[in-house]
Amino acid sequence: MRQKNWLAALILGAALLTGCSSNLETVAVNTMTIEKDGRIADISVEDFSDGDYDMAKLESFITAEVADYNSQAGEGSITLDKLETESKLVKLQLNYANMNDYNAFNHTEYELTDFKASALSGSFTAVTDGSQIKPGDMKETDMKVLQVQDAMNIICKGKVLYYNSFVTESNGTFTASGEGTAVIIFK
């Protein structure tokens, strides 16, 4: 039962968000990577230091959930890239064809839209110099807007230009606080 509880929590939002390279060894927290074409790689990290899990059953359960989703949404909508243990941590990497698949599978309502289609308000921090800027003053028009509500690390393949107050940045990794809607604007 522990495996189902863990996966349910994973599916309900423990996702990722970022740092999603295929090198699981370097990821210690939930991380999501957004590719320029909208594909998403998500690494979820769960501590099983109590040893209460069966890796084979966990992998079987996750594989079945992914297969069930793909049978309804289309083959390749989600792929299980890796599931492994490292010390007492279990790390799972799933790849999603797009944000719609991510949201449907994880029961989230994250958004990945074009800047023109977004209705942003408030003030944003410019990555280049830390200055504050309003959406109406942003000159670029070919930008993407990512909005998430949960705490996670996020890596955007491309150039991040702006982020709001619910995001911090360190060495190219952006961390959503989970205390409000985190917004990252990139191209």
Side-chain angles (χ1 to χ4, degrees), residues 91-170:
K91 296 180 180 182
L92 168 67
Q93 180 173 340
L94 295 175
N95 297 319
Y96 301 84
N98 55 50
M99 187 60 77
N100 291 334
D101 290 320
Y102 181 90
N103 283 333
F105 191 74
N106 292 291
H107 307 286
T108 56
E109 295 181 10
Y110 302 158
E111 292 183 32
L112 180 60
T113 59
D114 290 329
F115 180 73
K116 291 178 185 179
S118 66
L120 296 177
S121 62
S123 186
F124 293 83
T125 301
V127 172
T128 55
D129 62 8
S131 65
Q132 296 297 301
I133 187 168
K134 303 267 186 219
D137 297 328
M138 295 177 186
K139 304 297 183 210
E140 300 87 355
T141 58
D142 61 340
M143 300 179 292
K144 300 278 186 201
V145 177
L146 173 67
Q147 298 182 61
V148 301
Q149 293 77 31
D150 296 311
M152 66 180 81
N153 282 346
I154 300 167
I155 296 174
C156 297
K157 299 295 182 165
K159 183 177 180 180
V160 174
L161 302 172
Y162 310 102
Y163 57 90
N164 72 356
S165 63
F166 296 111
V167 178
T168 57
E169 185 272 335
S170 177

Side-chain angles (χ1 to χ4, degrees), residues 19-61:
C20 301
S21 73
S22 58
N23 188 0
L24 292 182
E25 295 81 30
T26 62
V27 177
V29 298
N30 295 336
T31 302
M32 173 186 280
T33 298
I34 307 292
E35 299 291 334
K36 286 183 179 183
D37 64 2
R39 289 178 298 126
I40 298 168
D42 179 54
I43 297 175
S44 296
V45 180
E46 181 70 22
D47 183 0
F48 278 103
S49 54
D50 64 1
D52 188 21
Y53 70 93
D54 179 323
M55 192 65 164
K57 286 182 183 178
L58 180 61
E59 185 169 9
S60 176
F61 179 74

Side-chain angles (χ1 to χ4, degrees), residues 63-73:
T63 301
E65 290 292 309
V66 168
D68 182 52
Y69 181 86
N70 284 336
S71 72
Q72 297 172 31

